[in-house]
Amino acid sequence: MVNEPTHAPLLSIVVPVYGVEAYLYQCLESIRADIPAGESEAVELIAVDDASPDGCGDMLRAYAVGRTGVRVVHLSSNVGLGLARNAGLDVATGRYVWFVDSDDWLPSGTIAAVLDRLRQHQPDVLMLDHLRVHEDGRREVDASSPLLRGIPDVTRLADQPRLLRVQHTAWNKVVRRDFMDELELRFFPGWYEDIPFSHPLLIGAEKISVLDRVCYLYRQGRQGAITSTRSGRHFDAFDQYERLMDWVARKHPDERLQAELFELMINHYLVVVGNDGRLHPHLRRDFFQRAAAHYRRYLPSGDHQPPPGVSGLKHRLVGRGDWLAYSALRQAHRVAGRLRRPGPVAGADSGSADSGPAAADEDPGRAAGAEPTRDGGPASERRDALAGGRLP
C-alpha cells in the first residue's frame, strides 16, 4: 500500500530494499532526520521492498507508521535493483528523483544542500560527490571525484566532457523527472543496470549542475558484491552496453561521443575479464570473445587510435580477438606483480588480478542469491576508465 502525499514535493528519494536488514534503518534515518525544519513537504521518501527475504518488509511497515512523507511499495516477487527502482519511480510525485541504495547513507546537511542547489540552478541533472566507507570506518575519496572539481555553476557535457568519466552510477545524480521522461529512460533488468541509464542522462542534459561536496556515503565490503561474485551474470554487461550504444545512435549520433564511450566500454570489459573474482576460468575466454565482437561492432569510423601505452596494447588484442596473446600478457603481469610484492599484504585479494588491495575492486551489493544491488563501477574500474586501464 502506498500513502499518497498531500502536496507535490520537490524531491522524491527512491530506496530499493533487499536483504539489508542490518543497514536499512541507518539509511532511512540519514534521509528523514536530515530534512531541514520547514521542508517536510519538499521531500518524499519512497522505499521499495523488493520481496526481501529477511525482516526488511516488516521494518518498512513499522517505519512508515506516523511518519509523513514516507511511502512504501511492497513487490510480490523479487525483480532486482533496476526494476525495483522503476517501481518506485512509477509512484514518485517529486519534480526531481534521487535513487539511494539501501545499504548506503547520507551525511548530515546533504538534503538542505541538494534542495538549495535544485532551486538555485533548476538543472536537468545534479551531480554529487561521495566517499567510499569501509567496514573499519576508513573513508576513501573516489578515483573519479577530482573530475567534479572546478566545474562552472551550470554546464553541459559538450563543455565538460570529463564528466562522462565520473563513476557511472544512478545514486550520484539527482534527475529532473520530466527530463528523464523526455529521454525515455528507465532501468533495465540484469546486472550492470546503471550503464544504459547514467551515461544518457549526461549526454542529453542541457543543464548539469555539480554540487562539489560529499553528499553520499558508499558502503564497501558487503558480502555478495557483484564485482566479487563469480557468475555468468557478468555477461549482462554486453546487453547493457548494447542498449547504451543503441540509445546514443538514435538520440545523439556524434562520432566523438561514440569514440569516448567505445573506449570506456572496452576498458570496462578488460577489467571484468581480468578479474578472478568475477569470472570462472572456463568463462573467461568466452567473455573475451564477446568483448572482441563488440570491439568490431562498435569500432568508431575513421582513423580511430587506441589509447597509448599498455592500455592500447590491450585494446589491440581485443580488437584482433587474440585470446592467447592476451592470456600470456595477463599471466606475465600477474607474475611481475607477485615479484614486486615483498610479502602478503594485509587485506589483499589473492584472487584478484589487480595489484592493489581487495577494497580497490569491491562494490558492495546485495546477497548474490537474488539480484545483487548494483554495478557501482568499483575504484579499479574507474581508475582504468580514467587512465586508460592497466594490465588486467
Side-chain angles (χ1 to χ4, degrees):
M1 181 178 179
V2 178
N3 299 317
E4 294 294 335
T6 56
H7 300 280
L10 176 62
L11 177 63
S12 297
I13 300 179
V14 175
V15 181
V17 176
Y18 183 91
V20 290
E21 194 174 53
Y23 308 104
L24 180 57
Y25 185 78
Q26 180 185 26
C27 175
L28 299 177
E29 276 295 282
S30 75
I31 297 169
R32 290 294 304 162
D34 199 47
I35 299 175
E39 294 277 28
S40 60
E41 293 187 354
V43 182
E44 69 173 353
L45 170 58
I46 302 173
V48 181
D49 171 20
D50 189 15
S52 187
D54 56 6
C56 286
D58 291 336
M59 290 177 66
L60 290 175
R61 291 185 184 92
Y63 191 83
V65 174
R67 289 183 170 91
T68 58
V70 178
R71 309 166 67 194
V72 179
V73 177
H74 295 279
L75 302 182
S76 59
S77 61
N78 175 252
V79 298
L81 176 61
L83 299 188
R85 284 173 174 167
N86 289 345
L89 182 61
D90 287 342
V91 301
T93 61
R95 184 182 177 199
Y96 287 88
V97 180
W98 185 8
F99 299 99
V100 172
D101 284 347
S102 52
D103 52 351
D104 298 331
W105 71 104
L106 311 183
S108 178
T110 291
I111 299 295
V114 167
L115 293 177
D116 180 67
R117 182 57 63 89
L118 293 177
R119 289 172 174 139
Q120 180 184 0
H121 290 169
Q122 301 184 42
D124 297 322
V125 180
L126 173 61
M127 300 186 69
L128 310 171
D129 198 4
H130 71 283
L131 290 175
R132 295 157 54 88
V133 183
H134 297 266
E135 288 297 305
D136 61 2
R138 178 171 54 91
R139 298 190 174 193
E140 177 187 5
V141 175
D142 188 81
S144 68
S145 289
L147 298 175
L148 298 172
R149 308 289 180 259
I151 301 295
D153 286 348
V154 177
T155 190
R156 299 180 307 150
L157 185 64
D159 299 320
Q160 298 291 336
R162 69 190 191 193
L163 292 177
L164 197 64
R165 292 178 176 258
V166 174
Q167 184 173 1
H168 57 265
T169 62
W171 47 255
N172 63 358
K173 301 171 184 70
V174 181
V175 188
R176 184 167 60 84
R177 171 62 185 271
D178 288 346
F179 168 66
M180 198 184 313
D181 292 339
E182 291 166 9
L183 296 184
E184 300 176 353
L185 287 182
R186 287 295 187 273
F187 291 96
F188 291 96
W191 290 12
Y192 301 98
E193 73 290 325
D194 284 341
I195 290 169
F197 180 84
S198 182
H199 290 307
L201 290 176
L202 301 180
I203 293 168
E206 289 296 321
K207 296 175 66 178
I208 299 173
S209 179
V210 175
L211 185 53
D212 186 9
R213 63 167 283 163
V214 173
C215 293
Y216 196 92
L217 299 174
Y218 176 32
R219 190 183 304 275
Q220 304 295 286
R222 285 258 290 118
Q223 186 178 8
I226 73 169
T227 51
S228 58
T229 300
R230 281 187 168 187
S231 172
R233 296 291 303 279
H234 290 287
F235 282 76
D236 288 357
F238 297 108
D239 292 335
Q240 305 292 15
Y241 272 109
E242 286 177 5
R243 289 162 177 148
L244 170 63
M245 294 303 198
D246 176 69
W247 185 91
V248 171
R250 288 186 294 107
K251 301 286 188 178
H252 293 272
D254 178 88
E255 289 186 2
R256 288 178 299 177
L257 175 62
Q258 290 168 339
E260 177 80 1
L261 291 172
F262 173 81
E263 183 174 326
L264 290 173
M265 176 184 71
I266 299 303
N267 287 339
H268 194 168
Y269 289 161
L270 284 165
V271 169
V272 176
V273 75
N275 192 302
D276 287 340
R278 302 198 200 185
L279 291 174
H280 289 278
H282 72 275
L283 294 177
R284 188 168 288 118
R285 183 169 187 164
D286 288 345
F287 191 97
F288 182 89
Q289 296 300 344
R290 286 285 301 275
H294 267 195
Y295 190 104
R296 294 188 294 270
R297 177 175 176 180
Y298 296 112
L299 179 66
S301 58
D303 185 25
H304 173 73
Q305 296 297 318
V310 172
S311 179
L313 174 58
K314 292 189 294 181
H315 277 239
R316 290 183 177 90
L317 292 177
V318 174
R320 296 203 303 262
D322 194 340
W323 166 250
L324 293 179
Y326 167 81
S327 298
L329 192 62
R330 178 175 182 269
Q331 183 61 28
H333 170 70
R334 290 164 64 86
V335 171
R338 285 194 290 268
L339 292 176
R340 285 196 302 266
R341 297 174 191 167
V345 178
D349 177 6
S350 61
S352 174
D354 190 353
S355 60
D361 197 38
E362 288 175 354
D363 181 23
R366 290 184 184 131
E371 282 285 350
T373 15
R374 62 190 110 171
D375 164 41
S380 60
E381 267 178 43
R382 293 189 294 283
R383 283 195 300 268
D384 284 346
L386 292 167
R390 47 179 159 164
L391 276 169

